[in-house]
Amino acid sequence: MRNLSWCTVSLTAVAVTSVLVAYLLGGSLDPTARDPDIDLTTVELIAKYGYPAESHTVVSEDGYILTLHRIPFGKKSPGKTKRQPVFLQHGIVSSSVDWVIMGPEKSLGYVLADAGYDVWLGNSRGNVWSSKHVTLHPSSAEFWNFSWHEMGIYDLTAITDYILRRTGQEKLSFIGYSMGATMFFAMASEKPEYNKNFNVMIALTPAMYIKYCISPMPKMFAIAGKQLEWLSNLFGVYQILPHTSLFTFIGRHFCSDGAVTQPICMNILKLNMALNNKETNTSALPLILGHAPAGASIKTFQHFGQNINSGEFRKYDYGEEKNRIVYGSLIPPKYDVSKITVPVAIMYAQNDIVTDPRDVAKTKEALPNVIAYLKVKDEEFTHADFAWAINAKSLVYEDILRLLRKY
């Protein structure tokens, strides 16, 4: 069985049992529900809502072909004046669409563009928009031999260089969501010369320390990482949660308004994607599943699982024998976060099952230059809400705008 996961299996179970449930309850599966935004790419979505949209290609030092999406200005701030670039990096198994999927006034990409910023949206290697390499084929094990470490030291450095060169600016601002923040911290500690290129780094629910994570997918790798790695090599499966038509089908037919199975769908997504009943627009579930998940390497989840077990922010653990060759020690070294000199603002949520407040507090204490430490005022706010919450603008994005204006 290829590319299976907790979320895939759970949602497939919904599809298999939903017909029977609908029959017993006398309800409908709502097979005609269709949001046209489901079928649009990130650039097409941006253009549909009247914003300028661009697609750019960046090649990393180690050969990965990365796609960047850009909103150079907003509808409320048109013109050709030179604007401050802001780079947004999504979390694991996500893509650039996360920053625009909820539409104008509700998605951070549009909010920043309308506030006068030049908005750049990243796509991490291995996701649906960055799945090519100059020499390696995506079916090979070599292609998928990376985690967020390589995404940080190779992808973010190449993207930073590209944005500054393209815009002619000396610095940019960075917003990293979950793994996006992890990538930045790896880069800024391993490539400290890049610290000077950033005005400020805003870490949304940063996944640097994740000892107390209880989200099913990373926790599964913490518990059975070696066994899952063995199975991965046995079956030649190195990618996890690629986007397929199955997710789109399930979202459209079983999670839409009017479908009797929508509550089941919501509960499964709440468990796997850390959704919040109060802040989730259930009408948007088919749209979300039309674009997410977007794929990641198994090694990326394995790396997070290792850090859950160690309770530290460490490099990838290859096992004692290979660690001795790669690192010169039996255990992988910790990242030297004392080298991170960029001003860092941290935003976190009390109800987060991925980055527990205790882990975020450890992140705050470890970093040398934290200039803001903000808890979302809604006590029920959780991990996915930073991207998809109904009230994300008032609860999160307005604070981001204040920080950007200050730094």
Side-chain angles (χ1 to χ4, degrees):
M1 294 188 294
R2 299 179 64 86
N3 296 321
L4 287 182
S5 71
W6 180 283
C7 188
T8 307
V9 172
S10 300
L11 287 172
T12 303
V14 170
V16 171
T17 61
S18 289
V19 175
L20 177 61
V21 172
Y23 173 77
L24 292 174
L25 298 180
S28 168
L29 294 178
D30 199 23
T32 60
R34 188 176 183 87
D35 183 338
D37 287 2
I38 292 173
D39 301 313
L40 300 181
T41 66
T42 303
V43 166
E44 289 169 343
L45 269 175
I46 295 168
K48 173 182 176 178
Y49 290 101
Y51 290 78
E54 299 175 5
S55 184
H56 297 255
T57 299
V58 177
V59 180
S60 69
E61 182 183 335
D62 58 344
Y64 286 83
I65 301 172
L66 313 169
T67 298
L68 279 174
H69 294 130
R70 183 190 189 188
I71 312 174
F73 56 87
K75 291 194 294 184
K76 296 180 181 179
S77 61
K80 296 184 179 180
T81 57
K82 207 169 187 180
R83 300 165 188 275
Q84 177 62 36
V86 180
F87 178 60
L88 281 65
Q89 179 58 49
H90 61 75
I92 197 168
V93 298
S94 294
S95 73
S96 57
V97 79
D98 279 11
W99 306 111
V100 297
I101 196 171
M102 293 295 115
E105 300 293 333
K106 293 185 179 298
S107 289
L108 183 57
Y110 298 124
V111 170
L112 291 173
D114 281 334
Y117 294 97
D118 179 2
V119 182
W120 295 80
L121 313 174
N123 284 288
S124 60
R125 61 175 66 189
N127 86 354
V128 66
W129 298 114
S130 296
S131 58
K132 295 180 181 179
H133 190 278
V134 294
T135 59
L136 301 175
H137 193 275
S139 63
S140 68
E142 292 81 6
F143 179 93
W144 296 101
N145 185 25
F146 62 81
S147 77
W148 38 261
H149 175 83
E150 289 76 17
M151 296 180 205
I153 65 172
Y154 294 125
D155 297 357
L156 290 191
T157 53
I159 291 168
T160 298
D161 291 341
Y162 180 88
I163 294 174
L164 294 179
R165 185 170 62 249
R166 179 84 183 198
T167 61
Q169 297 278 24
E170 294 183 359
K171 293 187 177 186
L172 67 154
S173 299
F174 185 94
I175 300 173
Y177 166 56
S178 191
M179 185 190 74
T182 316
M183 293 163 57
F184 185 92
F185 295 141
M187 176 198 69
S189 58
E190 290 291 290
K191 301 273 188 176
E193 64 272 21
Y194 274 85
N195 281 275
K196 69 180 187 300
N197 294 321
F198 298 92
N199 296 305
V200 65
M201 187 279 189
I202 301 176
L204 304 179
T205 183
M208 190 166 100
Y209 296 105
I210 53 171
K211 176 181 178 180
Y212 297 103
C213 171
I214 58 171
S215 181
M217 282 295 290
K219 194 67 176 177
M220 181 172 68
F221 277 85
I223 295 170
K226 290 183 179 179
Q227 293 86 341
L228 291 169
E229 184 179 14
W230 180 82
L231 287 172
S232 167
N233 293 327
L234 177 66
F235 290 103
V237 177
Y238 309 103
Q239 182 187 20
I240 194 166
L241 286 172
H243 191 72
T244 68
S245 57
L246 172 63
F247 288 100
T248 303
F249 177 84
I250 291 172
R252 180 172 284 153
H253 297 292
F254 303 108
C255 303
S256 60
D257 290 339
V260 70
T261 50
Q262 189 189 67
I264 302 173
C265 181
M266 176 61 191
N267 284 332
I268 291 173
L269 291 174
K270 180 180 178 181
L271 174 65
N272 287 279
M273 302 172 76
L275 296 178
N276 173 359
N277 286 343
K278 188 176 71 173
E279 285 293 335
T280 299
N281 177 3
T282 53
S283 297
L285 292 179
L287 178 59
I288 291 171
L289 285 172
H291 293 277
S297 69
I298 285 179
K299 187 175 179 179
T300 301
F301 272 101
Q302 178 80 312
H303 200 170
F304 275 122
Q306 291 173 358
N307 280 5
I308 290 174
N309 289 333
S310 71
E312 301 292 346
F313 185 42
R314 293 187 182 276
K315 298 180 184 180
Y316 192 83
D317 189 347
Y318 294 98
E320 290 186 355
E321 183 176 344
K322 189 172 180 179
N323 284 343
R324 189 183 291 110
I325 298 171
V326 175
Y327 305 123
S329 60
L330 296 179
I331 61 173
K334 299 177 185 178
Y335 289 93
D336 186 358
V337 297
S338 68
K339 295 180 179 179
I340 302 175
T341 58
V342 180
V344 176
I346 296 173
M347 300 187 71
Y348 70 101
Q350 185 62 41
N351 193 36
D352 199 325
I353 66 170
V354 180
T355 52
D356 187 278
R358 289 169 290 182
D359 288 319
V360 181
K362 186 174 180 178
T363 298
K364 173 183 176 289
E365 294 304 315
L367 295 173
N369 198 16
V370 175
I371 46 91
Y373 186 62
L374 307 173
K375 185 175 82 170
V376 178
K377 293 178 181 177
D378 181 355
E379 293 293 317
E380 296 180 33
F381 210 80
T382 188
H383 201 74
D385 293 337
F386 283 88
W388 299 333
I390 294 170
N391 294 302
K393 183 178 180 181
S394 61
L395 291 169
V396 179
Y397 302 160
E398 289 177 359
D399 283 327
I400 289 175
L401 289 174
R402 282 190 284 270
L403 288 164
L404 290 176
R405 284 192 289 265
K406 187 174 180 180
Y407 292 92

